[in-house]
Amino acid sequence: MFRSALHQSRRAAARSARFASTSAKQQTLKERLSELIPVEMENVKAARAEHGKKSFGPVVVDQLYGGMRGLPALIWEGSVLDAEEGIRFRGKTIPECQELLPKAPGGQEPLPEGLFWLLVTGEVPTQEQVTALSKDWAARAAIPEFVQELIDRCPPTLHPMSQFSLAVTALNHDSAFAKAYQEGISKKDYWGPTFEDSMDLIAKLPNIAGRIYRNVYGQGKLPAINPDKDYSWNLANLLGFGESQEFVELMRLYITIHSDHEGGNVSAHTGKLVGSALSDPFLSFGASLNGLAGPLHGLANQEVLIWLRKMQSKIGENASDEAVKEYVWSTLKGGQVVPGYGHAVLRKTDPRYMAQREFALKHLPEDPLFKLVGQVYNIVPEILLAAGKAKNPWPNVDAHSGVLLTHYGLTQMQFYTVLFGVSRAFGVAAQLIWDRALGAPLERPKSYSTNAIKQMFKDKTA
Ligand code: CMX
């Protein structure tokens, strides 16, 4: 008894000495994560022991037919979406992230490196830790030659999102997780190679996105990654906008706010679902991208700009409110959605929309397209309410992003969802790491036939 207590206290002392020495030299994300995982495993174990058999309340049949709206079915600590307030990343609102997360020298927007650290650990990193992440991602950024060739061989008529998904899926060729699995890695060690793949995935996305952009839109040769610059600067530079400090700042804000939106949205949930089959992070995130490419999800940012441009060509620039109203009604009467408006969970204006609006008010208040976006904001909610179908008449994130990109010269709308995809990798990767660390099982909900439902409730009144 005494010997074992002594042994334990010696082990604790050795452990704290080890932690003290690593924190003195600034822990890496992986070192910090390896400390947090056992603590979180205990936390989950305790929560399941205490609450595991408790009910969340009834599930009604409409939820099965209605896209599972509101069905409590997933666990994800990274971000939580409140219908009224919007997103919080590890408990922090967007303005709080803007205030607390480290910034680039001279910059005012948060570095997405810091947001990733926050999503993974729940902690705000130091400036040095964020700089180390920028350097680590720059060192991992190169993409294999065959993936470069794969992108180069795509016809420019293939949608950039299809090219993006194809290239990300092909990165599975060098997956550390897939290799370790083939070599018989123990389940308790899954998170290590998942972490490495996730870091590689995020790091390689700017080179993939930049290559697609330059190939499709004929923008010349791709520059090299600069290891002394942050992730967003490198992404902007690969797209040809590295000289614009404002565009770089926009990328920092853009990636931060698009990174994660709770666990149940199509891209986040698809990544988790595919990952639950132990498909590696490249295969899992490739699947997320295919979901993001749908017009009701990420593709809406492209659709908003197309819709605004069509409106301008139909009713002219500086059109009256009456003309805009008529155009919105004609969209609805044509059986189409107003892109950028409505949300499956939110019931107020999306704070991601507001963050972009603030950015526009600061940097481009006189931009004519920004003014049109503002005019539309004053008109659409009332019409959606009058039409009486949409549960949320307010704008979402996609209603605003395109106008900012257009202002700085990134006018190729079909590329917009690729930038959303680069950002969404941050949330999906963080989730995959934790799912493997906590041993999340294969997802397998139950489906029913309509006849089975009818049968089930045949003789019941309610
Ligand atoms: N314009 C017209 N009709 C809309 C609408 C909009 N912006 N938003 C919702 N509706 C309609 C729905 O199509 C649905 O019609 P039916 O009953 O005929 O099927 C009805 O209102 C009820 O829908 P809801 O419960 O309010 O919304 P959902 O949860 O089903 O869908 C969303 C949410 C986002 C798909 C929907 O609001 C929409 O299609 N918006 C436009 C596309 C868009 O901006 N998507 C981006 C969302 C953010 C993102 O993921 O990036």
Side-chain angles (χ1 to χ4, degrees), residues 66 69 258 261 265-267 292 294-301 303-304 331-332 335-347 350 352 380 384 387-399 420 424:
R69 285 299 174 286
H258 284 79
H261 213 225
N265 67 77
V266 169
S267 51
L292 196 70
L296 295 189
H297 191 20
L299 201 78
N301 58 9
E303 296 301 295
V304 167
T331 302
L332 294 177
Q336 296 157 40
V337 294
V338 178
Y341 280 76
H343 199 272
V345 179
L346 281 168
R347 293 297 174 256
D350 190 338
R352 299 173 299 173
V380 168
L384 284 177
K389 278 213 298 189
K391 292 191 191 68
N392 173 29
W394 301 106
N396 60 59
V397 68
D398 298 316
F420 195 157
R424 188 46 56 94

Side-chain angles (χ1 to χ4, degrees), residues 151 154 158-170 204-206 208-209 212 285-286 289-290 292 417-423 425:
I151 299 170
C154 287
L158 182 62
H159 195 282
M161 278 303 279
S162 309
Q163 300 193 31
F164 196 22
S165 150
L166 170 67
V168 165
T169 300
K204 292 178 193 309
L205 296 180
I208 294 178
I212 294 170
F285 186 63
L289 286 176
N290 292 336
L292 196 70
T417 314
V418 172
L419 292 178
F420 195 157
V422 171
S423 321

Side-chain angles (χ1 to χ4, degrees), residues 84-158:
E84 305 288 319
E85 185 200 49
I87 195 68
R88 277 180 185 261
F89 303 108
R90 291 280 188 169
K92 295 186 179 11
T93 62
I94 289 173
E96 284 166 353
C97 288
Q98 284 174 301
E99 190 194 326
L100 296 170
L101 294 177
K103 310 192 175 42
Q108 294 184 335
E109 299 298 344
L111 288 167
E113 286 86 335
L115 195 272
F116 185 64
W117 188 292
L118 177 70
L119 282 178
V120 173
T121 64
E123 298 164 353
V124 173
T126 63
Q127 195 77 42
E128 290 73 21
Q129 285 169 325
V130 155
T131 305
L133 258 191
S134 302
K135 286 194 180 306
D136 191 351
W137 286 346
R140 294 169 185 256
I143 54 174
E145 221 171 282
F146 87 94
V147 177
Q148 297 176 22
E149 284 166 16
L150 200 65
I151 299 170
D152 294 348
R153 289 178 71 102
C154 287
T157 44
L158 182 62

Side-chain angles (χ1 to χ4, degrees), residues 6-56:
L6 190 68
H7 188 62
Q8 270 182 15
S9 80
R10 275 199 192 130
R11 272 214 318 238
R15 204 166 49 229
S16 69
R18 210 165 53 236
F19 292 167
S21 70
T22 47
S23 58
K25 70 164 172 63
Q26 288 285 352
Q27 281 181 306
T28 65
L29 181 56
K30 197 170 187 183
E31 286 166 347
R32 182 67 189 128
L33 193 54
S34 63
E35 289 174 10
L36 292 173
I37 287 170
V39 178
E40 186 57 17
M41 283 172 112
E42 283 309 310
N43 186 30
V44 169
K45 204 165 133 191
R48 289 187 73 169
E50 195 177 349
H51 306 295
K53 301 285 177 275
K54 292 178 186 166
S55 166
F56 262 97

